[in-house]
């Protein structure tokens, strides 16, 4: 796959956008092309929650903006697979910024890749919008004036599920953690929430990314006798862990299995028999209201019948918001565009009560859901029931003094 084409039919999408702009509006010169890059995991453990669906979401954002604020603009969408490797992701981002003059990069699923790109844009400029990675380091020690963390992070996930279960009396925890920046951050934030509510962390064990066999890790967690086995991983690792835990009877009887980062795509992959009863925090659910249902119906038609995850929703929202700011300023200067991004309200089909903090954290309402039983589900993709809404100001960690932008 080349980065200049968008999967199958990519060139046709660019052509249709150009044709749409030409209808009553003169196209900009090539030097005025606004370029957006989707840097994601196209085929690995995070491809279902991001991957091709993130490209679909970005296409939708461009098409919607071209019909409104972006009329007359020429916009090009590029995509690349970072393969969950920080060096590959940083190399591609550098190539896009230096050679291809890409204005903004979005998704960036995988925390290690995101941190590498964050360091790059601090030096080289450009704009990065993170809807796939979870580490809170992006908005504290590694914050950047041109980096925006859009959808969720490890704190927002811990603040929901870990807090809810601990308050229910599930006070002793053992973590099974994917061994890189994301998992470590998720474990720490969840552990801090548990301890702040009077609970204890009795231990943890770490496994490699994209591990097919997690049985030994799960059995060690089971032997800890902790009330809760917390899965501090994501994507296919979480799916594998839940399936294997069910088959070994881990998390039954006097123990509870808690997946701290779950996506709708994970529930779909698991099926309700295995996923039922899971409690987790999500930033977007397709059946939340009329706007989310309409957005998801469009997405589903473009993505082989799949409903969007919160990563896809974040890609849509971030790309649309960037394009609105670019249209308003008519500028490629990241300093000018990011200032406008902070000024104009975030208003779209997927975000509720959203705003950008000085540290680059986009705060918005988050939601605590429980996965339905097979008997409760009445239609395809009818998977979740809402337990509570976590208001934007409570869902995310307060600004950290280690971020210079917070001072």
């Amino acid at each position: 796959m080349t980065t200049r084409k968008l999967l199958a039919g990519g060139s046709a999408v660019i052509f249709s956008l150009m044709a749409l702009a030409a209808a009553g509006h003169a196209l900009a010169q090539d030097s005025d092309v606004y370029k957006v890059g989707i840097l994601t995991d196209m085929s690995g453990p995070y491809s279902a929650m991001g991957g091709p669906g993130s490209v679909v979401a970005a296409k939708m954002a461009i098409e919607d903006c071209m019909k409104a604020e972006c009329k007359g603009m020429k916009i090009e969408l590029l995509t690349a697979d970072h393969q969950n490797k920080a060096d590959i992701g940083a190399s591609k981002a550098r190539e896009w910024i230096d050679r291809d003059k890409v204005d903004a990069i979005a998704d960036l699923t995988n925390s290690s890749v995101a941190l590498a790109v964050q360091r790059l844009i601090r030096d080289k400029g450009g704009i990065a919008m993170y809807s796939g990675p979870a580490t809170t380091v992006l908005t504290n020690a590694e914050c950047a004036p041109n980096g925006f963390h859009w959808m969720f992070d490890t704190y927002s996930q811990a603040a929901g599920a870990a807090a809810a279960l601990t308050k229910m009396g599930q006070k002793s925890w053992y973590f099974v953690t994917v061994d890189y920046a994301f998992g470590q951050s998720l474990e720490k934030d969840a552990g801090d929430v548990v301890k702040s509510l009077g609970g204890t962390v009795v231990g943890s064990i770490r496994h490699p990314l994209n591990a097919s066999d997690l049985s030994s890790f799960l059995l060690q967690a089971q032997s800890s006798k902790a009330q809760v086995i917390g899965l501090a991983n994501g994507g296919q690792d979480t799916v594998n862990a839940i399936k294997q835990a069910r088959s070994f009877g881990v998390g039954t009887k006097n123990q509870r299995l808690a997946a701290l980062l779950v996506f709708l795509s994970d529930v779909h992959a698991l099926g309700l028999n295995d996923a039922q009863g899971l409690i987790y925090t999500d930033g977007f659910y397709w059946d939340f209201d009329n706007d989310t249902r309409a957005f998801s119906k469009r997405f589903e038609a473009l993505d082989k019948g799949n409903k969007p995850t919160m990563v896809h929703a974040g890609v849509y929202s971030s790309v649309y918001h960037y394009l609105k700011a670019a249209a308003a300023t008519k500028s490629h200067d990241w300093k000018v565009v990011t200032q406008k991004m902070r000024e104009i309200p975030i208003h779209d089909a997927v975000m509720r009560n959203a705003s950008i903090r000085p540290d680059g954290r986009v705060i918005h309402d988050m939601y605590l859901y429980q996965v339905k039983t097979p008997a409760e589900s009445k239609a395809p993709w009818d998977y979740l029931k809402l337990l509570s809404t976590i208001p934007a100001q409570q869902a995310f960690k307060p600004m950290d003094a280690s971020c210079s932008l917070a001072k």
Side-chain angles (χ1 to χ4, degrees):
M1 180 188 304
T2 64
T3 60
R4 304 293 293 190
K5 303 299 180 184
L6 309 177
L7 307 176
S11 57
V13 171
I14 295 175
F15 175 79
S16 69
L17 295 176
M18 293 170 64
L20 184 61
H25 299 277
L27 282 176
Q29 298 300 313
D30 286 347
S31 60
D32 290 330
V33 176
Y34 287 85
K35 296 183 179 181
V36 178
I38 301 300
L39 188 55
T40 186
D41 174 5
M42 294 299 295
S43 58
Y46 302 141
S47 58
M49 69 184 195
S54 291
V55 180
V56 168
K59 290 180 187 178
M60 291 173 62
I62 293 171
E63 290 168 359
D64 287 351
C65 198
M66 291 291 288
K67 295 173 184 176
E69 298 90 346
C70 298
K71 285 182 178 178
M73 289 174 63
K74 185 177 179 183
I75 303 168
E76 185 175 349
L77 182 63
L78 293 80
T79 182
D81 186 350
H82 56 52
Q83 300 175 43
N84 291 296
K85 296 179 180 178
D87 56 341
I88 291 176
S91 176
K92 178 53 63 178
R94 183 179 295 105
E95 177 185 304
W96 276 354
I97 293 170
D98 288 345
R99 187 193 72 184
D100 298 323
K101 308 304 178 187
V102 168
D103 298 280
I105 303 173
D107 189 344
L108 293 141
T109 302
N110 185 294
S111 291
S112 295
V113 172
L115 289 169
V117 172
Q118 183 89 316
R119 293 162 192 147
L120 178 72
I121 64 165
R122 273 207 307 266
D123 295 334
K124 288 187 167 289
I127 297 170
M129 302 173 296
Y130 309 100
S131 63
T135 179
T136 54
V137 177
L138 287 165
T139 51
N140 50 62
E142 295 285 354
C143 68
N146 46 345
F148 300 92
H149 204 168
W150 214 266
M151 178 50 76
F152 66 97
D153 59 30
T154 53
Y155 183 90
S156 71
Q157 303 315 109
L165 290 172
T166 305
K167 289 175 182 177
M168 288 166 57
Q170 309 289 298
K171 295 204 169 195
S172 63
W173 286 63
Y174 187 99
F175 291 100
V176 177
T177 304
V178 62
D179 193 14
Y180 78 103
F182 149 64
Q184 295 158 19
S185 182
L186 186 55
E187 178 188 322
K188 180 183 183 304
D189 284 336
D192 288 348
V193 168
V194 169
K195 287 182 278 190
S196 73
L197 294 171
T200 58
V201 176
V202 300
S204 66
I205 189 169
R206 293 180 176 176
H207 68 81
L209 176 65
N210 206 17
S212 59
D213 184 2
L214 294 166
S215 56
S216 63
F217 303 97
L218 292 166
L219 290 172
Q220 182 164 328
Q222 184 183 47
S223 68
S224 71
K225 307 299 183 184
Q227 291 173 294
V228 181
I229 297 172
L231 300 178
N233 50 22
Q236 191 59 46
D237 284 334
T238 298
V239 172
N240 289 342
I242 294 172
K243 284 183 176 179
Q244 292 169 28
R246 299 300 193 205
S247 67
F248 284 108
V250 176
T252 58
K253 296 182 180 179
N254 296 324
Q255 284 183 319
R256 183 161 194 156
L257 193 67
L260 297 174
L261 182 57
V262 177
F263 298 89
L264 189 66
S265 54
D266 301 331
V267 177
H268 186 67
L270 283 163
L272 292 181
N273 282 329
D274 283 337
Q276 61 182 304
L278 285 175
I279 294 174
Y280 73 96
T281 309
D282 209 318
F284 173 87
Y285 181 49
W286 71 270
D287 200 23
F288 182 77
D289 60 22
N290 288 336
D291 286 342
T292 61
R293 284 188 282 272
F295 169 82
S296 300
K297 184 176 181 179
R298 289 176 57 206
F299 181 95
E300 186 177 17
L302 296 169
D303 194 41
K304 302 177 182 179
N306 295 311
K307 294 291 189 186
T309 68
M310 64 173 161
V311 174
H312 302 144
V315 170
Y316 174 86
S317 178
S318 62
V319 171
Y320 197 172
H321 192 72
Y322 157 73
L323 289 173
K324 285 193 285 188
T329 59
K330 297 179 172 61
S331 177
H332 291 273
D333 185 337
W334 69 264
K335 295 178 182 178
V336 174
V337 177
T338 55
Q339 180 177 338
K340 181 59 67 174
M341 289 175 69
R342 295 174 187 277
E343 292 173 358
I344 61 178
I346 299 174
H347 181 72
D348 54 49
V350 304
M351 303 285 272
R352 301 292 176 271
N353 299 317
S355 60
I356 301 174
R357 293 194 319 205
D359 59 357
R361 175 68 258 176
V362 177
I363 64 170
H364 54 95
D365 291 350
M366 295 290 287
Y367 310 97
L368 190 66
Y369 286 105
Q370 184 170 16
V371 179
K372 293 181 176 181
T373 66
E376 291 173 317
S377 179
K378 304 304 181 185
W381 294 95
D382 177 25
Y383 294 155
L384 307 181
K385 53 186 176 184
L386 180 65
L387 299 180
S388 63
T389 297
I390 307 170
Q393 296 292 342
Q394 299 174 21
F396 296 91
K397 189 176 183 178
M399 285 192 289
D400 194 296
S402 65
C403 173
S404 59
L405 302 172
K407 297 176 182 176

